[in-house]
Amino acid sequence: MAGDQLKVLNALDVAKTQWYHFTAIIIAGMGFFTDAYDLFCISLVTKLLGRIYYHVPGAQKPGTLPPNVAAAVNGVAFCGTLAGQLFFGWLGDKLGRKKVYGMTLMVMVLCSVASGLSFGDKPKSVMTTLCFFRFWLGFGIGGDYPLSATIMSEYANKKTRGAFVSAVFAMQGFGIMAGGIFAIIISSAFEAKFPAPAYKDDALASTVPQADFVWRIILMVGAIPAAMTYYSRSKMPETARYTALVAKDAKQAASDMSRVLQVEIEAEQEKVEEISNKKSKAFSLFSKEFMKRHGLHLLGTTSTWFLLDIAFYSQNLFQKDIFSAIGWIPPAQTMNAIQEVFKIARAQTLIALCSTVPGYWFTVAFIDVIGRFAIQMMGFFFMTVFMFALAIPYNHWTHKENRIGFVIMYSLTFFFANFGPNATTFVVPAEIFPARFRSTCHGISAASGKLGAMVGAFGFLYLAQSPDKNKTDAGYPPGIGVRNSLLVLGVVNFLGILFTFLVPESKGKSLEEMSGENEDDENTTTSDSRTVPIV
């Protein structure tokens, strides 16, 4: 295999870890930092939006967003992300990774700023504007998934590729944490400057007019890290794998990587043309030949990401109960509007610090040691165990003296999501498909995940409502209850274990070895589902 491989690609595979690897992680990772900040900061300000725009005079509790508005504000970015993953994933294979990479960032910068602007001051016009720009913000964020993963995997050496790609993804944890920390700073500053009574003491005065600036500033600041990265992205050379294997320009690939690696690399135009001639009758995406060689792998990456995100995003169901149970967020009527932003931000930051960030970096440390398959299996296994452990004795956990145990089990569930399938489902699709389909297939897998996120975040919001219609949240129909919802999530995680068997192990192998792009068509090998057919 090594003899058939282009020297420029072999040079990347065997390169020692050096400065350009870390530069690529920072450039790609800052995109994910921004993605996480933008996607998760909305949860910090939804309560504030309810108080400002949906205040009901004389009500016992502060105003909240109606269910359909809450679903739209929280979910519209997911819809945009799904569309962006498919579109920019496809475009990254058509035009090249670098050309498209800057586009996604500009969309994110413009829409982050625009999210904090409103046409009019009436609830309907403010929410419509917010949803419109959050959709297009999500569209830009969606493009970052396939492009960042593909660029990092194509730049990395084969020994530490898993750690590099998962380090890019792990920047999400810092983005979530940064959103919380910034919201704490802004809310503290506004609270000091514009003090207000609690809602129960004076409902109208508890939301000061200046609170309207708080949510706008929090949303708009998401543009800054993205804008700071734009210049660096524009200076990154196109990946050698795209230039050589897709654009078929060996000279440019060798020139770019000679500059990056600071070694002399021979341009092998004849070898590129030879590979190209072998592939002159190459199969297309979703052709019979593609499905034969990569169909099960694509089913594996899409299904596991879909199932993981159902469970991962359903955490929204239990966070408010957990935060209230351990006293992180007191009853809404005991706080003013800005104090509530502070308490929610503090809770989210602590969760990120204690559970989210460590899980991501455990994956970075171990992915090239024990492999993607083992981490994904272990993650889904423990998520299944903990979900059933929460669900079966659910009544036991609802007693006040047992709430801390519930919090510990809950935290472990999401630790093993991050030290598990939440990271590996991002890494593997960038490693196992041919270069000409790599970005597209990663985009399809990621879009499947976002579909699961919508099911998790909104399907279960309705499903987890009490079967007793007198006990449901305002505006929601009866559901199956939290206990039964947890049981369903346990089954979802167990299905994740089963579908993981369709995902091949790519630890220590070159991208061409995984996809077999340098091999003759006859050299297709067959083996168990964890060994990749050579294309």
Side-chain angles (χ1 to χ4, degrees), residues 23-35:
T23 307
I25 289 170
I26 292 163
I27 293 169
M30 282 309 287
F32 265 85
F33 177 95
T34 306
D35 297 350

Side-chain angles (χ1 to χ4, degrees), residues 23-86:
T23 307
I25 289 170
I26 292 163
I27 293 169
M30 282 309 287
F32 265 85
F33 177 95
T34 306
D35 297 350
Y37 181 100
D38 288 334
L39 280 180
F40 288 90
C41 70
I42 195 70
S43 63
L44 301 172
V45 298
T46 45
K47 298 275 190 189
L48 179 60
L49 290 169
R51 284 187 185 239
I52 296 170
Y53 296 106
Y54 293 90
H55 172 68
V56 179
Q60 291 293 308
K61 292 182 179 179
T64 56
L65 297 179
N68 59 330
V69 176
V73 167
N74 286 300
V76 72
F78 287 153
C79 300
T81 305
L82 189 153
Q85 286 163 336
L86 293 172

Side-chain angles (χ1 to χ4, degrees), residues 495-513:
L495 290 173
I497 295 173
L498 300 182
F499 279 100
T500 296
F501 283 101
L502 298 176
V503 179
E505 177 58 77
S506 48
K507 176 170 79 86
K509 296 177 182 176
S510 76
L511 298 178
E512 289 66 49
E513 200 177 340

Side-chain angles (χ1 to χ4, degrees), residues 387-398 402 406 409 483:
M387 280 293 185
F388 282 131
L390 289 171
I392 294 166
Y394 182 68
N395 289 334
H396 167 79
W397 299 119
T398 56
N402 301 324
F406 185 91
M409 300 280 272
R483 180 179 183 271

Side-chain angles (χ1 to χ4, degrees), residues 64-347:
T64 56
L65 297 179
N68 59 330
V69 176
V73 167
N74 286 300
V76 72
F78 287 153
C79 300
T81 305
L82 189 153
Q85 286 163 336
L86 293 172
F87 176 72
F88 285 114
W90 168 78
L91 208 60
D93 284 334
K94 291 294 174 193
L95 301 182
R97 292 44 161 143
K98 181 190 171 177
K99 283 182 184 173
V100 184
Y101 210 27
M103 289 183 210
T104 63
L105 214 56
M106 283 315 297
V107 172
M108 285 156 60
V109 170
L110 293 172
C111 293
S112 284
V113 173
S115 293
L117 307 175
S118 305
F119 302 129
D121 58 359
K122 298 287 183 287
K124 189 174 181 182
S125 61
V126 172
M127 295 305 143
T128 303
T129 310
L130 180 61
C131 289
F132 176 79
F133 286 116
R134 295 254 335 146
F135 175 86
W136 291 108
L137 173 64
F139 190 69
I141 288 171
D144 232 44
Y145 276 73
L147 292 167
S148 290
T150 301
I151 285 170
M152 197 64 240
S153 73
E154 291 183 345
Y155 263 110
N157 60 49
K158 62 185 180 182
K159 188 178 176 185
T160 55
R161 186 179 61 236
F164 289 158
V165 180
S166 50
V168 169
F169 192 64
M171 292 297 282
Q172 274 197 334
F174 291 129
I176 295 168
M177 209 158 65
I181 291 168
F182 183 71
I184 288 169
I185 294 166
I186 287 292
S187 56
S188 299
F190 271 76
E191 174 64 14
K193 183 76 175 167
F194 309 106
Y199 183 88
K200 65 180 181 181
D201 298 328
D202 188 336
L204 206 56
S206 70
T207 306
V208 293
Q210 292 82 2
D212 197 44
F213 291 112
V214 172
W215 70 268
R216 296 175 191 276
I217 292 168
I218 290 170
L219 296 187
M220 292 168 86
V221 160
I224 294 172
M228 287 167 63
T229 320
Y230 183 77
Y231 178 77
S232 302
R233 283 198 181 186
S234 67
K235 291 297 174 189
M236 276 182 93
E238 181 58 87
T239 71
R241 287 182 158 91
Y242 184 86
T243 308
L245 297 175
V246 184
K248 304 184 177 36
D249 188 344
K251 189 176 177 183
Q252 187 63 50
S255 168
D256 287 343
M257 292 309 108
S258 293
R259 200 165 68 250
V260 167
L261 295 170
Q262 297 180 326
V263 294
E264 199 58 45
I265 300 172
E266 180 189 345
E268 301 171 283
Q269 190 60 42
E270 286 125 10
K271 202 164 188 179
V272 166
E273 283 165 11
E274 186 188 329
I275 293 169
S276 176
N277 292 335
K278 283 179 187 175
K279 297 294 176 186
S280 58
K281 296 179 181 176
F283 54 88
S284 58
L285 188 66
F286 298 130
S287 64
K288 190 175 178 183
E289 192 64 24
F290 174 86
M291 298 312 288
K292 177 179 157 190
R293 299 177 185 212
H294 299 289
L296 282 178
H297 300 150
L298 189 59
L299 175 61
T301 58
T302 52
S303 58
T304 50
W305 207 334
F306 174 77
L307 294 164
L308 173 273
D309 272 7
I310 291 176
F312 190 76
Y313 283 89
S314 69
Q315 66 180 297
N316 300 338
L317 294 177
F318 317 112
Q319 265 191 3
K320 65 179 189 297
D321 302 327
I322 287 167
F323 292 160
S324 300
I326 56 181
W328 284 358
I329 301 180
Q333 60 269 30
T334 65
M335 301 178 281
N336 67 40
I338 294 173
Q339 285 170 343
E340 190 171 32
V341 173
F342 174 86
K343 293 283 171 60
I344 293 168
R346 187 181 65 176

